[in-house]
C-alpha cells in the first residue's frame, strides 16, 4: 500500500507536544518501538506518517530508491533487521531528506556521520552508529509492513518520536488516540495542581490500600 496519508501541520505539532510517552500510555500501552532505537541527540522530535522500507543488511541501494518516492512530512522507517555493522545513512542522504521535507528517520540498524546529522537538526533515531560503508546491489521492499521487535508498522501509520522513544499509532486510530492523549494530559495536569496543594501521588492513585495489603506502613 502506498503512503498517501497526510497530516496537517496542526496535528503534527499537537502530537509532538503530547509526546511519545503520553501517546503510548493513552492508546493502551501499545505501539512502543524498541528502546534500543534512540535519537542521535536529546531534543530531537518528530511526528508523521511512516514510509516503510525493508532492506538487506549492509546494503543501502533501497534508501536511494525510497527517497525518490518520499513525500514532504513522511517519516522514513527502515528495517535492516537490527544490523549495526554498517552505516546505511549519512550526511549526504540527510541533505536530500531535508530538501524533500521529510519529518525524520527511524533506522533499525546503524547510521554514520552522526555529528553532521545532529548539527543539521534532522531527527534521526537509530539502533547504532557505524563508520563502515555499504554496498548498493540488493533489492528490498518499499511500503510493506515491517515487524521490529513486537511492533508492526505499516506505511501510513503515524510515528511519534522524542527523547523518550518512539511510538506507532495505527493510521485509522489517530483521531481517537489524540482525544485519549488529551484526556490523559488533562488528568496529569490536574494531578500536578493537586500535588502543589498538598496531595500525594499515593492518594491520587489510590495506592494506600495496596500498601496496606503488602503491610507497608
Amino acid at each position: 500500500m502506498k503512503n498517501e496519508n497526510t497530516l496537517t501541520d496542526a496535528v503534527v505539532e499537537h502530537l509532538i507536544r503530547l509526546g511519545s510517552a503520553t501517546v503510548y500510555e493513552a492508546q493502551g500501552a501499545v505501539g512502543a518501538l524498541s528502546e534500543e532505537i534512540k535519537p542521535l541527540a536529546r531534543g530531537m522530535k518528530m511526528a508523521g506518517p511512516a514510509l516503510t522500507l525493508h532492506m538487506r543488511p549492509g546494503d543501502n541501494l533501497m534508501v536511494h530508491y525510497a527517497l525518490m518516492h518520499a513525500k514532504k512530512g513522511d517519516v522514513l522507517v527502515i528495517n535492516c533487521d537490527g544490523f549495526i555493522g554498517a552505516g546505511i545513512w549519512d550526511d549526504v542522504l540527510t541533505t536530500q531528506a531535508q530538501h524533500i521535507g521529510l519529518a525524520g528517520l527511524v533506522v533499525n540498524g546503524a547510521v554514520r556521520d552522526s555529528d553532521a546529522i545532529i548539527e543539521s537538526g534532522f531527527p534521526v533515531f537509530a539502533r547504532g552508529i557505524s563508520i563502515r560503508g555499504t554496498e548498493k546491489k540488493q533489492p528490498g521492499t518499499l511500503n510493506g509492513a515491517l515487524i521490529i521487535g513486537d511492533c508492526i508498522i505499516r506505511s501510513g501509520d503515524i510515528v511519534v518520536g522524542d527523547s523518550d522513544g518512539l511510538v506507532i499509532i495505527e493510521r485509522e486510530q489517530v483521531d481517537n488516540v489524540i482525544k485519549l492523549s488529551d484526556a490523559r494530559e488533562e488528568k496529569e495536569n490536574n494531578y500536578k495542581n493537586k500535588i502543589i496543594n498538598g496531595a500525594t501521588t499515593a492518594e491520587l492513585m489510590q495506592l494506600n490500600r495496596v500498601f496496606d495489603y503488602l503491610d507497608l506502613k
Side-chain angles (χ1 to χ4, degrees), residues 63-80:
V63 173
H64 302 272
Y65 177 77
L67 289 177
M68 294 170 59
H69 298 270
K71 298 177 181 178
K72 181 179 179 181
D74 285 347
V75 174
L76 181 56
V77 182
I78 304 175
N79 189 8
C80 307

Side-chain angles (χ1 to χ4, degrees), residues 20-184:
S20 61
T22 294
V23 169
Y24 166 73
E25 293 291 351
Q27 68 176 3
V30 297
L33 226 54
S34 170
E35 64 277 1
E36 294 181 358
I37 301 177
K38 304 178 185 297
L40 292 187
R42 292 193 63 82
M44 287 184 167
K45 300 178 180 182
M46 66 181 184
L51 174 62
T52 57
L53 173 63
H54 184 266
M55 54 187 237
R56 306 289 179 87
D59 191 298
N60 81 341
L61 175 69
M62 290 299 294
V63 173
H64 302 272
Y65 177 77
L67 289 177
M68 294 170 59
H69 298 270
K71 298 177 181 178
K72 181 179 179 181
D74 285 347
V75 174
L76 181 56
V77 182
I78 304 175
N79 189 8
C80 307
D81 299 328
F83 179 71
I84 58 172
I88 60 93
W89 185 275
D90 59 15
D91 57 342
V92 174
L93 290 167
T94 296
T95 298
Q96 185 171 352
Q98 289 182 305
H99 179 71
I100 294 168
L102 292 190
L105 172 74
V106 177
V107 180
N108 185 27
V111 302
R112 61 180 184 174
D113 296 330
S114 57
D115 284 343
I117 294 172
I118 292 169
E119 289 172 7
S120 77
F122 182 65
V124 171
F125 293 68
R127 184 175 289 270
I129 297 171
S130 175
I131 195 173
R132 298 182 186 276
T134 59
E135 294 186 325
K136 294 172 178 58
K137 300 177 180 178
Q138 299 294 328
T141 303
L142 185 66
N143 283 313
L146 303 179
I147 300 176
I148 299 177
D150 60 357
C151 190
I152 299 175
I153 309 106
R154 301 169 300 164
S155 253
D157 285 348
I158 308 306
V159 184
V160 180
D162 54 29
S163 295
D164 285 337
L166 293 156
V167 65
I168 308 300
I169 307 170
E170 292 183 2
R171 54 180 174 254
E172 302 89 351
Q173 297 298 322
V174 175
D175 291 342
N176 185 48
V177 169
I178 288 175
K179 291 178 182 177
L180 293 171
S181 299
D182 285 341
R184 181 178 178 84

